Amino acid sequence: MGNTVSCCVSPESSPKLPSRQPVERLEEFQTSTEVSDDNTVPYLQHISDREVPDELALESNPSDHARASTIFLSKSQTDGEQSNLSWCLKVSPGPLSKKYSSCSTIFIDDSTVSQPNLKSTIKCVTLAIYYHIKNRDSDRSLDIFDEKLHPLSREPVPDDYSHVDPEHKLIYRFVRTLFSAAQLTAECAIVTLVYLERLLTYAELDICPANWKRIVLGAILLASKVWDDQAVWNVDYCQILKDITVEDMNEMERHFLELLQFNINVPASVYAKYYFDLRQLADDNNLSFPLEPLNNQRAQKLEAISRLCEDKYKDLSRAAMRRSFSADNLIGIRRSNAVLS
């Protein structure tokens, strides 16, 4: 991971975590790829046949499957009424915080799934973390994430640090400081939330007042290395958080990866689901993304993006049709050979 200390650990120190690949599915895949006789071609399952069925995907980890509901959105809806946190996404103070389109003017925000607005995305992600802490089931944690055992600063940790829930403003300032200093992107913030929920599910942990800073820091650390082309090294975070050591960062990163079972893949469908669920979270809490009037330049940009996506869709459709024709021809050839034999 770009540091002097290796990310590998001894087998004795690795946690014994259950495998995510069921034995039945593995045996089914192995038997399906076996050769039935010497005259037939080995049958290889199509990738769609190996995917998790829809009824199972609904109960799966939301950080792995697009059909499963995100945890933060369900936790935010457990409250009888949503918190009014509209302070965080206001662009400028004023009596009218929400803009409406008219016949002469159309207001649209500059946040898209491919290019989210940085400030708005960070505030929505921190709001999701806030609901994770507020509506947690218990206080399950590990020593590596305990801020009392591994402090991030030399300032003494309060005695009630594990009992007082942090406010949304405090979480936002902590994450915003890291993103500003490391110059991270908005996409990295979404991937951070994906890794955070994956950690809580895989390791069966709870993000609570005692561990939220180190868990968030570990998720940001991995997301910046996986997503950004120019990754931020661990020593760079030590320059942002002056009192933390590189050895502590390396150890936390190793544990984080082990608890994730080294699964750092984020499918595009999962990323899109988290993006739109974050927008739903903002709407539920009366938050608004910055709106700007649609002018000629922005209209031309949107039209160009639309044409590009349309061309890509046409190319994918043609490729799918060619694969379909090839499969039909292959089936016809096999049937002909069977009749001749």
Side-chain angles (χ1 to χ4, degrees), residues 186-312:
E187 297 91 334
C188 183
I190 299 177
V191 177
T192 297
L193 184 59
V194 176
Y195 287 163
L196 188 147
E197 292 203 341
R198 185 173 295 175
L199 174 73
L200 301 182
T201 306
Y202 281 19
E204 297 182 351
L205 300 177
D206 295 288
I207 184 169
C208 55
N211 61 15
W212 72 269
K213 284 187 178 181
R214 292 182 62 85
I215 288 181
V216 172
L217 176 60
I220 294 176
L221 176 65
L222 287 184
S224 63
K225 293 184 177 182
V226 173
W227 189 264
D228 288 348
D229 295 332
Q230 296 181 348
V232 183
W233 289 18
N234 292 2
V235 67
D236 298 326
Y237 287 99
C238 296
Q239 296 177 0
I240 301 173
L241 304 171
K242 301 294 184 179
D243 299 327
I244 194 172
T245 63
V246 179
E247 292 76 15
D248 187 18
M249 293 286 294
N250 294 338
E251 183 183 5
M252 181 176 61
E253 182 183 10
R254 288 195 299 268
H255 280 79
F256 208 108
L257 283 170
E258 284 189 338
L259 294 172
L260 290 184
Q261 302 176 23
F262 295 91
N263 177 21
I264 57 176
N265 178 49
V266 179
S269 56
V270 172
Y271 172 88
K273 176 189 65 176
Y274 272 78
Y275 169 79
F276 288 108
D277 280 1
L278 285 172
R279 297 203 61 141
Q280 179 63 41
L281 178 67
D283 185 66
D284 292 342
N285 288 269
N286 299 323
L287 306 180
S288 60
F289 283 73
L291 299 176
E292 298 293 339
L294 181 64
N295 51 29
N296 293 334
Q297 182 179 1
R298 299 186 69 189
Q300 293 174 0
K301 182 179 179 180
L302 288 175
E303 185 178 2
I305 296 176
S306 178
R307 288 178 179 176
L308 179 61
C309 295
E310 184 178 359
D311 294 340
K312 287 184 178 180

Side-chain angles (χ1 to χ4, degrees), residues 143-157 210 213-214 217 241-245 248:
D143 292 344
I144 188 62
F145 299 123
D146 195 306
E147 191 176 353
K148 186 76 170 182
L149 302 176
H150 301 274
L152 298 179
S153 63
R154 296 181 181 178
E155 298 180 0
V157 180
K213 284 187 178 181
R214 292 182 62 85
L217 176 60
L241 304 171
K242 301 294 184 179
D243 299 327
I244 194 172
T245 63
D248 187 18

Side-chain angles (χ1 to χ4, degrees), residues 115-161:
Q115 293 181 346
N117 179 274
L118 176 60
K119 185 177 181 180
S120 302
T121 303
I122 292 178
K123 290 173 180 176
C124 289
V125 169
T126 53
L127 180 59
I129 297 173
Y130 166 79
Y131 278 117
H132 262 290
I133 301 174
K134 179 182 178 182
N135 298 324
R136 63 188 182 277
D137 298 328
S138 60
D139 292 324
R140 298 170 297 179
S141 183
L142 295 175
D143 292 344
I144 188 62
F145 299 123
D146 195 306
E147 191 176 353
K148 186 76 170 182
L149 302 176
H150 301 274
L152 298 179
S153 63
R154 296 181 181 178
E155 298 180 0
V157 180
D159 296 334
D160 59 348
Y161 78 105

